[in-house]
Amino acid sequence: MKVTHKAVFETSMGNITAGFYGEEMPGTVENFVKHIEAGFYSKLIFHRVIKGFVIQGGGFINGMFEKAAMSTPIKLEISDNVKHEKYTFSMARTSDPNSATSQFFICTDKCEDLDGSYAAFGTVLEGFEVVDNIEKLETKSVRHFDDVPKTSVVINKAYMLS
């Protein structure tokens, strides 16, 4: 799989460098890059951590207050070539397959049950230990949200690499 775009997520626990598969997942990558270039992810948190499954971010600020997405939902893209392996980036969504906007998750283990149902579109290139450390955080419930890290992990800034 060819990485066509790279981005850095500077978090309060360290940096994660990601590579995205623009040839395989063009609409998904275009949407994600648009959010990064607009500064959308700055100050958002990883709001959901499930050990052995995923860490999720891209939609909430501290206190679990939702940030409105800047785009309408995108159509679900699936590629048989992009699987939900450990460290895969994928789009989060509601029960509607065509509802992804800005929220994403990073798999912390092989998640083959998600293949064919969620848009896997990239991978971690550097910062594996940051993902692993986020996954180890203790979680709590905040209002009706479960699996919220007790220690906030803030995306201070996200930007594209040339």
Side-chain angles (χ1 to χ4, degrees):
M1 202 88 41
K2 181 182 173 192
V3 168
T4 57
H5 301 75
K6 292 181 184 178
V8 174
F9 294 81
E10 293 181 358
T11 80
S12 55
M13 290 186 68
N15 292 355
I16 300 168
T17 302
F20 308 124
Y21 308 126
E23 290 176 4
E24 289 287 331
M25 305 295 290
T28 304
V29 171
E30 178 184 344
N31 175 70
F32 201 70
V33 168
K34 184 184 340 172
H35 280 80
I36 292 171
E37 289 177 337
F40 181 85
Y41 295 111
S42 294
K43 305 305 177 206
L44 296 184
I45 59 172
F46 279 94
H47 64 273
R48 186 172 177 227
V49 171
I50 303 174
K51 287 177 179 59
F53 186 46
V54 301
I55 63 173
Q56 183 174 333
F60 291 84
I61 61 171
N62 262 328
M64 291 302 293
F65 297 102
E66 192 166 9
K67 180 176 181 177
M70 37 175 273
S71 66
T72 57
I74 60 173
K75 185 177 184 322
L76 175 64
E77 276 185 311
I78 299 296
S79 169
D80 290 336
N81 297 324
V82 188
K83 303 292 185 189
H84 287 86
E85 303 288 339
K86 187 170 184 172
Y87 303 117
T88 294
F89 267 73
S90 189
M91 292 303 293
R93 61 173 177 76
T94 67
S95 58
D96 176 355
N98 300 306
S99 62
T101 55
S102 64
Q103 291 191 41
F104 65 94
F105 58 88
I106 303 171
C107 297
T108 60
D109 204 344
K110 187 173 186 167
C111 300
E112 56 195 14
D113 290 351
L114 303 178
D115 291 343
S117 300
Y118 286 80
F121 66 96
T123 189
V124 174
L125 300 173
E126 295 176 24
F128 303 101
E129 71 287 347
V130 176
V131 173
D132 295 344
N133 289 334
I134 294 170
E135 180 192 24
K136 293 175 188 170
L137 293 173
E138 289 187 40
T139 60
K140 62 183 178 181
S141 294
V142 176
R143 296 184 305 282
H144 62 281
F145 300 104
D146 295 325
D147 308 307
V148 179
K150 287 183 178 180
T151 303
S152 290
V153 181
V154 179
I155 299 169
N156 295 315
K157 184 165 112 177
Y159 54 90
M160 298 303 298
L161 295 173
S162 44

